[in-house]
Structure formats: structure tokens, C-alpha cells
Amino acid sequence: MSKITINNKDVDLSGVDPNTPLLWALRDTLGLVGTKFGCGIAQCGACTVLMNGQAIRSCQARIGQIKDANITTIEGLADDEGKLTPLQQAWIDHDVPQCGYCQAGQIMSATALLNKNANPSKDDIDAAMSGNICRCGTYTRIVAAIESAAAQSNGGDAS
Amino acid sequence: MVFNDPLQAINPAGMGSAEVSRREFIRLAGLGGSLVVALSVIPGRVSALAPKNDRSAALNTYVEIASDGQITILAPNPEVGQGVKTSLPMIVAEELDANWNDVVIENAPIDAERFGRQFAGGSTAIPMRWDELRTMGAIARHVLLQAAGQQLNVPIEQLSTQYSIITHAPSGRSVSYGDVAQQAAKLALPKPENVPLKTPDQYRLLGKRITGFDNHAIVTGQPLFGIDTVVPDMLYATYVKCPQIGGKAVSANLEELKKRPGVRHAFIMDGTVDIAYFNPGGVDMYSGVAIVADSTWQALDARQYLKVEWDTSKASTDSWSALVEQANAIADAAGAVEVEHKGNVVKALNSSSTRRRSQYTYGYISHAQMEPQNCVAAWNSNGTIEVWAPTQTPQSAVASLAQVLGIEENKITLHQIRAGGGFGRRLDNDYVREAALISREVNAPVKLQWTREDDMSYDCFRPGGFYALEAGLDSKGKLLAWDNHSIAVSADGKKPNSSAGHWKTDFPGQMLKHFRHTQTLLISKTPTGPLRAPVSNTYAFAEQSFLHELSDAVGRDHVEFLVDALGEPKWIDKGNIRSLNTTRAIEVIRAVAKRAGWGKKMPQDRALGLAFYFSHAGHIAEIADVSVDTSKKVTVHKMWVVADIGPIVNLSGAENQCEGSVIDGIGVMMSQSITMTNGRIDQQNFHQYPLLRVNKRPEIDVHFVKSDYTPTGIGEPALPPVAPAICNAIYTINGERIREMPLSNLGYSI
Ligand code: FES
Ligand code: FES
């Protein structure tokens, strides 16, 4: 198996069945339980992580097929001192979560969006976030948090 | 093996757990010597593990204050996304005059003696706990004042509190809560009636927007939910039930399964019922095959090779299309049983100058809470069990486990743990019983994980059903009589299944001289249960759409028609906040009309629609701004929600619940439908059961009317008016009256 780096640490998954979806390797083998199981069929986005900066559904990625990949999970966003990214902070400031279960996936999709588009339009946000279901219906706040994090990163007024 | 704290039991080897947020670090650093202890347990979850510093002092059941000033408040009820882990402690903190930044919240243990009824349901937590929690805060504050008075040697009348500081204004001296907590804990608690409570104008915290206490853990992905629970030596289980609901496992290729990688056990469980319809709130459990492995994936992978012989002789043979046929055949007549009748409806209808009759149909739906059911159970060979359950009803979970396992309740330790959505599904503890029985069978701790397919096939569904409504109006267009024939599903033909049928409602029956409710039951064995605003979430659609049919039939403005139908100012059961108060109702209707600009000229193919509904003690009026094109594509541009639920506890949380209700209501109304064919559920996952997505969200305007009634819950009552408000707008645009949910059945899309 080739090398997988997760949250900037090399991990050894050699003992794990290569057919295992990354989602379950993260959760059960590595104890990274922030990435969530919602549907298992690429419909809900709860399991979203970044692979080389792109948002992917970890329930669909078999670890045996992941080659030389750099994976970032929700646990790997804040820096070593625990400083949150502007998106994570915006999520708290806007009190986005209700049950909170979908939110790791939402934040990972939003992170991928802002990585490649620092100033997304509403349509860009809709397009990037439409693969993530929030059963509790926090969409208004998700969009507001993304806009405010983007504004802040661009030096604008976050409010 | 006993784990007292679920979080201590979580595997600390997780890589992400090596990080401690700055906020938590600061909080920890303030604890001095406790820091090392906390970090060695599980970094990143320290906020809920608030180390019991040996100088911390318990002031009463809910409040504990450490000498460094950290205030721990217990949250008594399960958190399922409705916000009570934050809002209930806010009530304590308000009367305590605590600085919210000093507050750490912990889930209370399950203990009926100390905490009364601990559950999440019926939007009841706030009104049920309101007096108790205010009193707890005030009592704690009172003993702190007494202790400060002793320490400063001044009468307590000269002391004031603010943000965890006690000030003696005449001398300019002050002490913090932490300074006097030890002393305060030694004082006798005052009688509640001797401790004054604040008046609303004195509130500093209540009514503000406070971010959820667990939000930091959520956005950093810390272990928090039921599914995140890990205990040492834990195995992972999947439990496969018959696709045809209620079928019994007779035999399976168990030996073959046991040879699959990682599989430790595979066995049949008989379940506790051999009828199809079960009582989800009780002790029933369906038969199935348990596969227990070293990881979730190994269990799920092995499942693909499972072959089972099912006995379906007593299984459900339900079919939704057959139920619709049966209902349509009888909807024109009155129901078989008269549930309620006052005046003489038939005579009044016959003498009315305008008369309408319409049949409304609504399908079954699934709760689809985001976190599929799961539970960790650790059976001990000494006959005790420890359970980590994301449930809405921890106390009834314990009671049902005691029965199923045949042990005393005091042999069961159940930890309440945050749930990824509830919506009523977790009122039923079938998954908890399954986990416990599997754990006992394999004599090891087990995490049972349902797949989404398991969850959708074996939900306790919101039942489908039918309302045939008839009304008569006089020559001035005033409502005279109302007749409701509700056609409901029933397993035994004697009483409606859980949450099926129709309960007595105040409006409009209470306002009329002639009102009748009759009912017919149709046999169905598909399990049902409460789902967010049960019954109201379907009856509001029928009632509020039908009222719009009536105002339209007599050419009256709908705001005026509704206000007129509500009649004179009247609180139906005065003093009971769970009964309709027409003054409050009319106020929210008028307010929402004003906010939305009711009556303004709308663009082509676009209209406003209005609905009002009273449920769960909430008076809620909503207006939808909708457009529909010729291909029946619906756009909801904006929703206005005006609610009177008394004083607001957490404004952000309350607004979030209203916003979520709008999204939920649109999704259900447009396209969510559970159907069954010969006892099998036709929908298995989100590709067949679409939830509303971000790009379909409307703008949402939420407004709370100021009122000084007892505050009540908002997890449910904003949902029922959503669908009729939108459907009334659609009628105004294209003249098509929507009498069936979901609208996708009628060719509409969003
Ligand atoms: S769990 Fe992967 S998309 Fe739903
Ligand atoms: S917050 Fe509950 S599913 Fe999104």
C-alpha cells in the first residue's frame, strides 16, 4: 500500500482490509470519529474529507485505492495550538449547528470551496454545498458562515 | 467492567485528540494542578470533563462552583439538536447572575429522584423546567450572597451580583463566586419561596443569542455523539431484519459468515414479538440476524454474504396503494365512529349557504435523523449492564431494558449522549434493546450500528392518512359548521396506531356551535410513531388549506377570514398554556401579515400564502412568498415566521429551530414519501427519499412576539404551518388546490 498522510501525519493502514472505506478506517482504526456516517452511498456528505485539497466522500474511497494522498479531516483543520480556521470560527459565531451531526462534512466541503475560490458567489456556495444534507435545516446559517469567513479572509468586514 | 464516564471510555489513541483548542487550554490553565489530569484523560473533550477540582463546591443539584470560578451546570434533558443542553443551563445561569464565559455544561446523570422526568419530546423541556431551573439558580446565588456577607462582614441587602462577581457598593469591595463558593456550600439552602426571582426586565442572558455549548467540539470533530462512543475491547455489530416488516429469521448461513474476515459471532435473535406491528415505545424487538465483528466495516462487509430464510407468515403485507384505494372508497361518507360531536353538524351543513367538502391525503414519512441509530452496550458477567444511548427517552430505555434482560433497573447504567437528530425517532428504544441483547449474547461490549437502509426500513414512521373535511358558511361568509372524517391506520382495527388519526383540536371546533369528528380505521401493521409535531404536521396541512378553500369560496380576504373564525378573545382553558388563546393567535396573524406586506401587488406567477397553527403551546403564523411556473416547478422565495412562545430563552437557538422547521416542512411537503409494497418499505436511502438541499432554501424571516406567558418550546410548532402556507400560495397562482402530500405525486418539483 502506498503512503497515506492524514492531518500531516503518516499513517500505517497495512493491517486493514484494502476494501475498507476510508470513512471506517478513520473512525474505527484511527479513532478519528469527527468524520460521520450518514448514508454510505455518496448522498449526504456527512463523511466529507479533503484529499489533496479536494472534497471527497470518504464512504466511497477504499483505502486500497488511495495512492500518495494527503487527507485532511475535521480534526486536522485547527492549527497545533488549537487556533480555529476562520470557517470553524464563523460556524461558532453564527451558531450554525442544531444536532451538529452533519456539520463536520459541511465544514469540509466549505473548506474545499474557499481553498479554490476565496470569494464565492451565492451560486458558487450552492453548487459546492449541495452534496451535503443537513436534516436539521441549518442551510441559512451555513451560507452566512461561509460568506462571513470569506469576507474575513479577504480582509473585509465579517459581519 | 464499569465505565463511569463515556468520555473516559473513548479511545484516547485518536490522532485528532492530541489537540486542545486555545479556548479549552485557557480554561484548563486556569485550573492549575488539574491540568495534567485533564490532559491525560482525553484532550479535546475537556470541556465536558470539567475536572472535579478538589476545591469545587456543589451548591445544589444543578450548580457546582470551583474556587477558580468555573461554574458547572448540569443539563438534565437529552440533547438531540433542539438546543436544550445550552438553553436549560442558561435559565440557571440567569438567576445565578453567572458570567456565561465561566460556565461549563455537563450532561446530568439519569436519575429520576434528582432530575425528575428526563426526556426530549413534545417541546416540553423549557416549560417543564422553567420554574425549577430559575429557582436552582436563585438559590445558589442566595447562598453565595450569604457567604459573601459573612466574609465581608456586611448585610446581604447591601450586596449585588453581576457576571459572577458580588459587590458591596458602599465600600467598593467585591469578591468572586469562586472566592466564596466553599463557604456557600456549607450553608443551609433557603426555602425556594424565600428566594425572589428576577423579573424579565432584569434579564442579562435570557433572550440573547448564545452559541451552542458543544459547538466548539462539533466544529473540531471531537467525540460527542452516540456513534463516537468507544469502550475498551468493544466489538462492532450489525443486525439484519427481514425486508418484509415483522418476518422471523428461521435459519441463516451462520457458519459461512463466521469465516468472513474479522467476524467473531453470527447468530439469530428471535425478537420479542411475533406479530408484525410492534409497540416501539415498549419492550418489543424484531427478530433478525446479528453479525459481530472487529470493526464496523467487517460486520457490514460480511452482511453482504448473509443468506436468511425468513418466516413471513405473520409479517406485514401492507401496501400504501391499497390503503389509498380503501380510503378513497369511504371518504365521502361520515366515519365509522363518532369521536366528538357538538350541535347538529348535518343540519347546519344542510342549511348553510355555501358548503364545501374536500379530501386531503398525506403519505407516510421517515424521520431520517442524520445519525443512523446506534448504541453501545457493555454487558458484564455479574449481570449488570452499561449503555451509551443517543436516545430521547433514557428513563424508559432503562425500564424497557430491565424487562427485556430480566434484571433490576439498578443493574443498568445508561449514559445520555448527544444524538444526531431525533425528531421523535429516538422516543423508541428498539435499537437500545437490540444492542443490549447482542452484548449479552456475546458477553462483550458491542457497538450496534444501523445502516441508513436499516434506519429507513425499520423506522417508526409518521403514519400516512386522510382527512375528509366539510364545512358550511352563512350568507355573509362566516363559518358555521365543521365536519372532519379522519381515516387512520390501525394494527388491530380498534385504536389508531401511534400518532395516527386525529386528536381533538381547539380550532376551529371550539369556536363553532356545530362541530363533528368521525373516524374510520384501516388495518395496517407498519410501525408508526411520533414525528416532529405529530398529527399537527398533517392536520395543519388539511385544516389550513381547507380554510383557505372556504375564504376563497366566499371571496373574503384570508387574514380577515382567519381572524373572524378565531372569534372573540378567548383562552380556551384559561391558565393552561397548552390550550389555544385567540388573542395570541390573532396577534401573530396580524404581525406576520404586516411583516410580509400582505395585500401588496405580486409579480406574475407569484403569490403570498398564509397559514396559522397552534400546537405544542406555540401560536405560529407563517406567510410564504412562492412562485410556480407552467411546468409546476415551485420556488419558495421567502418565509416569514411569527411566533408567540412567551419570553425567549436562547434567541439564536429559537430562531434556528424556526429556520429548520421551514426547511423540514418544505422538504417533506415537496418530495418525501415512504411507501410499502407487501410489507416492504420501497425507499431505502436518500436517493429515493430526497431531503431539501441548500440551493432550495428560501430566505427566512423569524420574529417572536413579546409576551409574558410562561416560555414554551419551539422544536415543533413552527413546522405545521409551512406546508399549508405554501400550498395556499400555489392555489392563488395557478388555481390548483393541493390536497395531497408530497407534491411530487402531483407533478410538482422544487
Ligand atoms: S456517508 Fe458518505 S456521503 Fe453519506
Ligand atoms: S445540524 Fe443536524 S443534520 Fe445538520
Side-chain angles (χ1 to χ4, degrees):
Chain A
M1 178 177 312
S2 55
K3 208 176 79 177
I4 303 182
T5 305
I6 300 182
N7 299 337
N8 295 323
K9 289 174 190 122
D10 292 342
V11 299
D12 179 11
L13 290 171
S14 52
V16 182
D17 174 358
N19 280 323
T20 306
L22 175 61
L23 167 68
W24 295 112
L26 289 170
R27 294 188 54 85
D28 289 354
T29 312
L30 300 171
L32 289 169
V33 295
T35 304
K36 295 295 192 266
F37 166 60
C39 68
I41 60 162
Q43 283 289 313
C44 76
C47 66
T48 306
V49 300
L50 303 188
M51 183 158 83
N52 302 328
Q54 300 282 326
I56 62 155
R57 309 293 179 227
S58 66
C59 67
Q60 299 302 303
R62 313 260 171 178
I63 58 169
Q65 292 162 356
I66 299 173
K67 304 252 182 285
D68 297 319
N70 208 328
I71 307 286
T72 306
T73 71
I74 187 78
E75 291 93 338
L77 290 183
D79 72 14
D80 288 347
E81 275 80 54
K83 184 170 162 35
L84 304 181
T85 65
L87 262 176
Q88 288 174 304
Q89 189 57 50
W91 240 254
I92 294 177
D93 295 344
H94 288 265
D95 189 22
V96 175
Q98 284 184 32
C99 81
Y101 192 78
C102 72
Q103 300 295 348
Q106 305 279 3
I107 291 171
M108 297 317 289
S109 289
T111 300
L113 167 67
L114 292 190
N115 282 349
K116 62 170 191 278
N117 180 355
N119 200 4
S121 66
K122 279 214 191 301
D123 285 348
D124 295 337
I125 295 175
D126 279 358
M129 302 303 293
S130 285
N132 289 76
I133 293 172
C134 176
R135 167 67 176 94
C136 299
T138 63
Y139 297 130
T140 311
R141 290 165 187 238
I142 286 170
V143 174
I146 293 171
E147 288 176 337
S148 106
Q152 197 194 330
S153 307
N154 296 332
D157 179 357
S159 65
Chain B
M1 176 171 34
V2 173
F3 311 110
N4 290 321
D5 189 311
L7 301 162
Q8 289 186 359
I10 289 167
N11 178 7
M15 299 191 312
S17 60
E19 297 153 4
V20 182
S21 77
R22 190 171 52 170
R23 196 186 77 180
E24 281 159 348
F25 187 82
I26 291 166
R27 184 185 285 146
L28 277 172
L31 295 172
S34 306
L35 179 62
V36 178
V37 179
L39 280 176
S40 68
V41 182
I42 172 147
R45 275 297 283 141
V46 287
S47 57
L49 260 192
K52 292 284 179 289
N53 155 344
D54 53 8
R55 290 158 295 139
S56 74
L59 300 189
N60 60 38
T61 318
Y62 285 92
V63 182
E64 188 170 315
I65 301 183
S67 46
D68 62 27
Q70 177 174 288
I71 300 170
T72 303
I73 302 180
L74 296 185
N77 290 22
E79 173 64 68
V80 298
Q82 82 284 42
V84 293
K85 186 168 177 185
T86 303
S87 58
L88 292 176
M90 280 175 70
I91 299 172
V92 178
E94 177 66 64
E95 291 291 342
L96 181 59
D97 255 346
N99 181 343
W100 186 248
N101 292 331
D102 296 340
V103 173
V104 164
I105 301 169
E106 288 185 20
N107 292 334
I110 300 307
D111 183 347
E113 249 168 59
R114 284 160 71 199
F115 301 103
R117 291 185 65 203
Q118 295 171 280
F119 71 105
S123 297
T124 52
I126 297 281
M128 253 178 54
R129 300 278 182 192
W130 177 241
D131 289 337
E132 175 196 10
L133 295 181
R134 284 189 303 157
T135 305
M136 287 293 172
I139 285 176
R141 175 178 171 273
H142 189 83
V143 290
L144 289 164
L145 278 175
Q146 281 184 310
Q150 290 170 2
Q151 193 165 323
L152 299 173
N153 204 14
V154 295
I156 68 166
E157 292 72 32
Q158 293 180 358
L159 296 172
S160 62
T161 55
Q162 190 172 1
Y163 302 125
S164 309
I165 302 286
I166 304 168
T167 303
H168 181 244
S171 66
R173 290 178 298 164
S174 63
V175 291
S176 74
Y177 284 2
D179 294 337
V180 296
Q182 288 296 311
Q183 182 60 22
K186 295 185 192 126
L187 300 174
L189 294 177
K191 282 209 169 67
E193 54 271 28
N194 295 338
V195 180
L197 298 174
K198 289 184 180 181
T199 50
D201 56 306
Q202 296 172 307
Y203 291 158
R204 295 192 177 97
L205 187 61
L206 298 190
K208 298 238 157 62
R209 294 189 176 90
I210 301 296
T211 200
F213 179 76
D214 280 337
N215 281 349
H216 188 272
I218 288 168
V219 305
T220 53
Q222 302 308 312
L224 192 63
F225 297 90
I227 197 174
D228 301 339
T229 308
V230 177
V231 301
D233 304 321
M234 185 177 87
L235 299 174
Y236 297 80
T238 186
Y239 187 57
V240 185
K241 288 169 280 198
C242 182
Q244 187 178 349
I245 290 178
K248 268 178 97 79
V250 178
S251 66
N253 56 339
L254 301 173
E255 293 314 311
E256 194 184 326
L257 284 184
K258 285 184 204 161
K259 295 193 192 108
R260 298 296 313 167
V263 174
R264 303 281 191 99
H265 311 270
F267 52 93
I268 288 173
M269 294 210 293
D270 287 339
T272 56
V273 277
D274 59 1
I275 52 164
Y277 186 79
F278 83 154
N279 171 11
V283 297
D284 294 347
M285 201 190 96
Y286 285 112
S287 167
V289 179
I291 305 170
V292 184
D294 289 333
S295 73
T296 312
W297 173 248
Q298 286 170 325
L300 295 178
D301 187 48
R303 178 177 173 156
Q304 301 176 53
Y305 300 89
L306 174 65
K307 293 192 188 75
V308 193
E309 185 196 332
W310 302 102
D311 170 5
T312 55
S313 57
K314 291 178 180 164
S316 165
T317 54
D318 284 0
S319 138
W320 172 243
S321 53
L323 288 169
V324 173
E325 253 174 59
Q326 291 169 40
N328 290 347
I330 55 168
D332 284 346
V337 176
E338 198 165 270
V339 181
E340 198 183 350
H341 193 174
K342 76 178 176 176
N344 188 331
V345 162
V346 177
K347 205 168 139 206
L349 286 171
N350 284 335
S351 65
S352 54
S353 46
T354 306
R355 187 171 169 174
R356 284 284 180 279
R357 186 176 179 94
S358 293
Q359 180 195 333
Y360 286 81
T361 299
Y362 54 95
Y364 281 73
I365 61 171
S366 173
H367 294 81
Q369 77 293 336
M370 206 69 213
E371 179 185 10
Q373 299 288 35
N374 62 78
C375 178
V376 172
W379 173 263
N380 299 307
S381 32
N382 65 1
T384 63
I385 191 167
E386 192 160 13
V387 177
W388 291 263
T391 171
Q392 293 179 241
T393 53
Q395 288 165 335
S396 54
V398 170
S400 90
L401 284 182
Q403 266 187 274
V404 170
L405 296 166
I407 59 177
E408 306 277 307
E409 285 192 22
N410 63 14
K411 299 281 193 311
I412 301 164
T413 306
L414 185 141
H415 303 280
Q416 56 168 327
I417 193 155
R418 190 180 184 96
F423 307 103
R425 177 59 183 93
R426 299 178 202 272
L427 295 167
D428 305 316
N429 292 297
D430 41 349
Y431 57 105
V432 179
R433 294 188 283 275
E434 290 173 4
L437 287 173
I438 294 171
S439 173
R440 183 172 68 175
E441 180 69 28
V442 304
N443 200 21
V446 164
K447 180 194 285 185
L448 170 67
Q449 180 64 58
W450 286 20
T451 62
R452 175 60 58 190
E453 289 80 5
D454 294 336
D455 208 288
M456 209 167 272
S457 315
Y458 272 87
D459 198 346
C460 302
F461 302 94
R462 192 284 304 279
F466 315 83
Y467 299 112
L469 300 177
E470 184 160 6
L473 302 100
D474 69 13
S475 58
K476 296 200 185 71
K478 201 172 168 57
L479 194 55
L480 281 180
W482 184 277
D483 195 16
N484 171 12
H485 173 192
S486 70
I487 302 170
V489 287
S490 165
D492 59 5
K494 296 191 183 102
K495 59 175 191 331
N497 291 343
S498 173
S499 301
H502 178 216
W503 301 326
K504 175 178 160 174
T505 57
D506 292 338
F507 178 68
Q510 292 283 346
M511 283 72 199
L512 297 173
K513 285 207 185 71
H514 308 285
F515 170 78
R516 183 172 70 165
H517 172 207
T518 62
Q519 191 164 66
T520 306
L521 300 177
L522 304 180
I523 300 294
S524 162
K525 298 196 167 183
T526 304
T528 65
L531 184 149
R532 193 179 212 173
V535 179
S536 298
N537 62 32
T538 58
Y539 189 63
F541 161 64
E543 176 203 277
Q544 290 293 313
S545 300
F546 190 57
L547 283 166
H548 190 239
E549 290 196 51
L550 301 179
S551 67
D552 181 67
V554 294
R556 294 184 65 187
D557 173 77
H558 197 51
V559 167
E560 297 312 319
F561 181 79
L562 278 185
V563 166
D564 186 36
L566 282 156
E568 294 304 307
K570 185 174 174 187
W571 189 354
I572 302 293
D573 178 14
K574 197 167 179 350
N576 174 6
I577 49 163
R578 293 183 86 80
S579 75
L580 176 71
N581 183 329
T582 59
T583 307
R584 300 176 81 179
I586 290 168
E587 187 174 357
V588 294
I589 292 169
R590 294 257 184 240
V592 81
K594 194 161 168 220
R595 289 182 84 82
W598 182 256
K600 70 188 171 193
K601 191 166 166 31
M602 298 295 288
Q604 179 77 13
D605 297 331
R606 189 161 165 175
L608 299 181
L610 164 70
F612 159 80
Y613 201 73
F614 170 75
S615 78
H616 300 81
H619 297 78
I620 320 268
E622 297 179 11
I623 286 179
D625 174 355
V626 178
S627 56
V628 186
D629 68 16
T630 47
S631 66
K632 293 192 168 184
K633 189 164 165 37
V634 177
T635 306
V636 184
H637 301 279
K638 184 165 180 176
M639 289 286 298
W640 288 264
V641 178
V642 173
D644 180 355
I645 52 168
I648 303 301
V649 174
N650 182 357
L651 181 56
S652 176
E655 289 167 336
N656 210 343
Q657 291 302 312
C658 291
E659 292 160 13
S661 295
V662 168
I663 299 292
D664 192 356
I666 297 173
V668 168
M669 177 198 87
M670 285 307 308
S671 42
Q672 289 171 22
S673 168
I674 290 290
T675 56
M676 56 297 257
T677 307
N678 194 30
R680 289 175 185 237
I681 302 303
D682 298 323
Q683 295 73 23
Q684 295 287 295
N685 206 322
F686 292 130
H687 62 300
Q688 296 156 323
Y689 190 81
L691 270 62
L692 202 74
R693 293 184 185 260
V694 64
N695 53 337
K696 310 293 184 187
R697 77 190 180 286
E699 188 186 335
I700 303 169
D701 176 86
V702 178
H703 175 70
F704 297 106
V705 166
K706 279 210 179 356
S707 78
D708 53 10
Y709 296 89
T710 304
T712 54
I714 189 67
E716 296 169 272
L719 177 69
V722 175
I726 295 169
C727 291
N728 290 346
I730 291 174
Y731 173 81
T732 304
I733 297 164
N734 66 8
E736 184 175 348
R737 176 58 62 187
I738 310 282
R739 298 195 185 94
E740 179 173 346
M741 288 200 291
L743 273 62
S744 50
N745 289 353
L746 305 168
Y748 285 89
S749 65
I750 186 161

